[in-house]
Amino acid sequence: MKFKSAKKVWAAFAVAGVVGISATLANSSVFPVHQVEAAAAKQDNYASAHALQTLNSFYKPALKGQFPGAVSNLTIGKSTRKDVFKAIGEPEEARKNATGYDVYSPNMGNPGYAISYQSDKIREIRYFGTSIERQTNIGGITMSMVKKHWFAPNSTTTIKNGKTKQTKLTYIRGNYKLEFIFNSSTDLDHINLLAK
């Protein structure tokens, strides 16, 4: 009889232990709502701060006809296609005609570009940003952010890209134009740099 009672006691302890461990794990994996909201706000602030840093990184280089980053030594109207190949390699998708674009896809955290030429000199550079952590790059740049930090654009136009209507904010930077092409007020598609 004592043997059966001991078995029952151990079984009860085992069940209590499983229930106790389950309750502990359940309670530790559920966070109060305010902690979840605080973490989300912190993540949004981080992404927004980095997006603003990305936005502002274009301001000064544009005065010299340049973009920041890997293409910073390339200048609109001066650098050649050979200079581009030397700086960032050959494109994943080469232009199909003289007025087409060489396309460089974003990869491994590097931004994507499309570059067109005129008389073998860079005519335009398009910056598509990164595909990884896009919200910390151009994916986090909004129209209101651009206007708040760069003030009113020199011009605002609506353009059609197939069936999509886009808004182009143009800022004159010395002898160059910096264009922000938005699909919506919160969706920046790409940034263009070309001569005025």
Side-chain angles (χ1 to χ4, degrees), residues 106-175:
N107 58 46
M108 300 301 288
N110 294 315
Y113 300 96
I115 303 174
S116 69
Y117 303 88
Q118 185 173 21
S119 302
D120 197 44
K121 302 275 195 308
I122 298 174
R123 185 185 80 76
E124 178 182 356
I125 301 176
R126 291 183 175 181
Y127 178 87
F128 291 100
T130 58
S131 54
I132 297 172
E133 293 188 349
R134 189 165 174 81
Q135 285 308 109
T136 64
N137 197 262
I138 71 169
I141 298 173
T142 64
M143 265 192 223
S144 62
M145 179 188 286
V146 175
K147 291 176 180 178
K148 178 181 177 182
H149 295 279
W150 288 27
F151 304 107
N154 294 88
S155 68
T156 302
T157 53
T158 300
I159 56 176
K160 273 193 123 181
N161 182 5
K163 292 182 179 180
T164 306
K165 280 188 179 179
Q166 296 176 312
T167 303
K168 177 170 61 174
L169 304 181
T170 303
Y171 289 85
I172 303 300
R173 301 293 296 140
N175 295 321

Side-chain angles (χ1 to χ4, degrees), residues 1-147:
M1 197 73 170
K2 285 184 181 182
F3 182 68
K4 271 191 169 180
S5 294
K7 270 179 132 176
K8 284 183 181 178
V9 170
W10 282 111
F13 277 130
V15 169
V18 169
V19 171
I21 290 171
S22 297
T24 302
L25 290 175
N27 285 337
S28 68
S29 66
V30 177
F31 298 103
V33 172
H34 72 278
Q35 286 180 339
V36 172
E37 289 172 350
K42 189 175 181 181
Q43 181 62 30
D44 287 347
N45 289 340
Y46 170 83
S48 183
H50 276 69
L52 178 58
Q53 186 178 5
T54 297
L55 169 64
N56 288 333
S57 72
F58 288 91
Y59 197 74
K60 286 185 180 177
L63 282 171
K64 298 186 282 182
Q66 299 173 338
F67 269 160
V71 295
S72 64
N73 60 339
L74 302 173
T75 306
I76 300 293
K78 295 180 183 170
S79 300
T80 64
R81 195 168 187 230
K82 187 176 179 180
D83 294 332
V84 172
F85 289 179
K86 186 177 179 183
I88 58 174
E90 293 196 22
E92 284 88 354
E93 187 181 319
R95 63 185 180 172
K96 300 202 181 355
N97 55 49
T99 59
Y101 289 84
D102 283 339
V103 177
Y104 296 83
S105 301
N107 58 46
M108 300 301 288
N110 294 315
Y113 300 96
I115 303 174
S116 69
Y117 303 88
Q118 185 173 21
S119 302
D120 197 44
K121 302 275 195 308
I122 298 174
R123 185 185 80 76
E124 178 182 356
I125 301 176
R126 291 183 175 181
Y127 178 87
F128 291 100
T130 58
S131 54
I132 297 172
E133 293 188 349
R134 189 165 174 81
Q135 285 308 109
T136 64
N137 197 262
I138 71 169
I141 298 173
T142 64
M143 265 192 223
S144 62
M145 179 188 286
V146 175
K147 291 176 180 178

